[in-house]
């Protein structure tokens, strides 16, 4: 008879190191597998001086190769960043649940979702603080006109030309996007888990379905902020003086609104959704698998049957 494992208990039974390893594997898998679509999304969001989207002709082989440019920046940053993300998430979720109960309130479904959303926001701050410089490098290398061959070359050039500020100018905007994105994603994931997996067992199919649905919802509501973030992170490559000197969120928003109208805030919407559905499904599936696999209770059970 197959053993069933309590899904809800995995977070408290697994160690910090196990959550970190599971998060690292999930992050690398999520970002790398969908990287070409993310490159297309970035190129669609870049604001030009004319307000037009120019697509230079490229051979199929050249296009495929260029769509992977910058992936090593993601590999270097995504593992540690997602390890911080999921470790902080698990710790804060358990902490907030305990404090809610300690305050004399009954732990119900909605209080658990609230704790999950808040924990997701805490995890997001830790993730973005580490990942933002790597994301800047990644997007610079994703551009069609990029001539950077290595991550190190790109980082050195950006630092030499624009200083340390260039790596973090989008950080406030990234947080303003990522916190609602991750809060919505984590809370939505938990909700769909409760609907699709009411037995609270390790179930790859429901983890994947819940993850994909959560990613679609979260990506839909945060696309405008993602467009602003892309402008800020790629401003140093623009030939437009106004874009190059863009100082922050509100100025970037004005530029987009003036040149494209409200539709400009949804540039790259389809590839963003297309990338986030499978990427969040992959991320949660990989995370839950490694959390289950690395769980000390699960390993003891497996050892007992061997």
């Amino acid at each position: 008879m197959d053993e069933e494992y309590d899904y809800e208990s995995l977070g408290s039974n697994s160690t910090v190191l196990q959550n970190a390893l599971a998060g690292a594997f999930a992050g690398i898998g999520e970002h790398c597998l969908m990287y070409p679509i993310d490159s297309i999304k970035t190129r669609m969001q870049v604001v030009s001086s004319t307000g037009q989207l120019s697509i230079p002709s490229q051979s199929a082989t050249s296009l495929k190769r260029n769509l992977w440019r910058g992936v090593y920046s993601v590999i270097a940053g995504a593992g540690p960043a997602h390890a911080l993300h999921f470790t902080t998430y698990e710790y804060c979720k358990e902490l907030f649940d305990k404090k809610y109960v300690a305050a004399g309130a009954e732990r119900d479904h909605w209080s658990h979702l609230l704790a999950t959303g808040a924990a997701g926001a805490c995890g997001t701050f830790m993730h973005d603080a580490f990942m933002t410089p790597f994301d800047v490098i990644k997007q610079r290398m994703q551009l069609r006109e990029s001539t950077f061959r290595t991550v190190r070359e790109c980082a050195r050039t950006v630092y030499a030309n624009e200083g340390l500020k260039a790596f973090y100018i989008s950080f406030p905007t990234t947080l303003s996007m990522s916190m609602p994105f991750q809060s919505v994603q984590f809370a939505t994931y938990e909700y769909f888990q409760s609907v699709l997996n009411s037995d609270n067992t390790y179930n790859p199919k429901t983890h994947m379905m819940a993850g994909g649905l959560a990613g679609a919802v979260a990506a839909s509501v945060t696309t405008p902020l993602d467009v602003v973030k892309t402008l800020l992170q790629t401003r140093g490559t623009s030939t437009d003086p106004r874009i190059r000197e863009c100082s922050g969120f509100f100025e970037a928003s004005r530029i987009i609104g003036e040149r494209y109208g409200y539709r400009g805030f949804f540039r790259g919407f389809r590839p963003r959704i297309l990338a986030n559905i499978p990427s969040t499904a992959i991320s949660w599936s990989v995370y839950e698998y490694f959390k289950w696999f690395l769980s000390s209770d699960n390993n003891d059970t497996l050892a007992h049957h061997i």
Side-chain angles (χ1 to χ4, degrees):
M1 180 178 178
D2 294 337
E3 293 285 345
E4 289 188 346
Y5 304 99
D6 184 3
Y7 166 74
E8 285 293 332
S9 71
L10 289 175
S12 59
N13 288 345
S14 54
T15 66
V16 171
L17 178 59
Q18 289 166 350
N19 287 330
L21 287 172
F25 285 122
I28 293 172
E30 170 190 352
H31 286 287
C32 291
L33 291 174
M34 301 307 299
Y35 192 81
I37 296 178
D38 182 68
S39 293
I40 294 171
K41 183 269 299 181
T42 295
R43 295 176 185 187
M44 291 181 69
Q45 289 181 344
V46 172
V47 176
S48 67
S49 57
T50 62
Q52 300 296 318
L53 180 64
S54 60
I55 305 177
S57 59
Q58 291 180 303
S59 67
T61 302
S62 175
L63 179 60
K64 289 178 182 178
R65 183 175 62 251
N66 289 340
L67 289 178
W68 285 99
R69 193 167 52 202
V71 70
Y72 291 117
S73 179
V74 166
I75 293 173
H82 276 70
L84 281 170
H85 191 180
F86 280 101
T87 300
T88 304
Y89 165 70
E90 293 287 3
Y91 173 80
C92 290
K93 182 175 70 170
E94 184 179 353
L95 178 66
F96 294 156
D97 270 337
K98 286 181 178 178
K99 285 192 173 183
Y100 191 83
V101 173
E106 182 180 352
R107 184 182 185 278
D108 57 20
H109 178 68
W110 294 110
S111 67
H112 178 62
L113 289 181
L114 181 61
T116 298
C122 293
T124 298
F125 182 88
M126 298 299 292
H127 171 278
D128 288 351
F130 186 90
M131 188 65 188
T132 295
F134 293 95
D135 198 45
V136 171
I137 295 169
K138 178 205 75 171
Q139 289 202 315
R140 295 293 181 97
M141 296 185 73
Q142 284 178 327
L143 299 179
R144 291 187 188 86
E145 63 272 17
S146 175
T147 58
F148 299 119
R149 295 184 178 182
T150 66
V151 171
R152 182 178 298 180
E153 178 191 356
C154 181
R156 279 202 306 261
T157 303
V158 172
Y159 179 75
N161 294 340
E162 303 169 56
L164 185 63
K165 180 182 178 181
F167 293 102
Y168 278 98
I169 189 171
S170 67
F171 184 57
T173 302
T174 299
L175 279 181
S176 70
M177 177 192 73
S178 297
M179 282 193 168
F181 177 92
Q182 297 296 352
S183 295
V184 169
Q185 183 202 155
F186 278 74
T188 307
Y189 176 77
E190 293 281 354
Y191 170 75
F192 283 119
Q193 271 292 104
S194 67
V195 172
L196 300 172
N197 188 16
S198 58
D199 294 334
N200 292 328
T201 59
Y202 172 68
N203 188 321
K205 184 182 293 185
T206 60
H207 295 325
M208 182 166 287
M209 291 178 63
L213 290 169
V217 173
S220 297
V221 300
T222 58
T223 294
L225 291 169
D226 190 52
V227 176
V228 175
K229 184 196 78 168
T230 296
L231 185 148
L232 291 173
Q233 291 191 164
T234 61
R235 66 179 192 142
T237 64
S238 177
T239 57
D240 187 318
R242 187 181 177 192
I243 294 176
R244 286 187 67 88
E245 298 300 321
C246 183
S247 58
F249 175 84
F250 293 107
E251 178 63 18
S253 299
R254 281 195 292 270
I255 292 172
I256 295 167
E258 290 172 7
R259 298 186 181 180
Y260 299 100
Y262 76 93
R263 292 185 179 181
F265 293 96
F266 289 90
R267 290 163 64 92
F269 178 79
R270 290 181 180 178
R272 178 168 160 78
I273 298 297
L274 184 61
N276 270 279
I277 290 175
S279 67
T280 50
I282 291 166
S283 178
W284 279 108
S285 299
V286 172
Y287 177 66
E288 297 294 0
Y289 170 76
F290 278 102
K291 194 169 70 170
W292 168 77
F293 181 77
L294 295 170
S295 169
S296 57
D297 286 357
N298 181 43
N299 287 338
D300 291 344
T301 302
L302 292 175
H304 176 74
H305 286 283
I306 295 177

